[in-house]
Amino acid sequence: MKANNLRRGFIVKFEGDLWRVFSVEHQTPGNLRARVQTKLKSLRTAAMKDYRFRSEDEVEKAHLDQK
């Protein structure tokens, strides 16, 4: 899916690990390309990471079974 479609609470596969999207902010600065500023939380280590995607970047959404 496109980075434009990211929403809070989604779980994505990024850099070989699973991350929960903690916050999403869509930014369009002037005549530059749009970007999506995200804050991600690792499901494995609970580390937080800020990452900026271009709006046209592809992001893999993970489908997990919940108990």
Side-chain angles (χ1 to χ4, degrees):
M1 77 177 177
K2 300 278 185 194
N4 247 5
N5 298 328
L6 283 176
R7 299 290 179 257
R8 187 171 184 238
F10 279 11
I11 296 177
V12 295
K13 192 172 188 179
F14 176 67
E15 294 181 347
D17 209 356
L18 294 176
W19 299 82
R20 179 180 304 275
V21 179
F22 198 73
S23 67
V24 178
E25 183 180 339
H26 186 78
Q27 302 171 339
T28 52
N31 59 358
L32 300 176
R33 291 187 178 189
R35 61 183 181 235
V36 179
Q37 181 71 38
T38 61
K39 188 173 279 194
L40 305 172
K41 184 174 183 177
S42 173
L43 294 181
R44 186 173 49 86
T45 63
M48 296 291 281
K49 177 178 189 169
D50 289 323
Y51 194 79
R52 183 179 297 155
F53 293 98
R54 293 180 305 169
S55 61
E56 63 269 3
D57 284 348
E58 287 290 326
V59 181
E60 184 179 349
K61 185 175 178 184
H63 300 282
L64 301 177
D65 293 333
Q66 295 181 355
K67 290 185 179 183

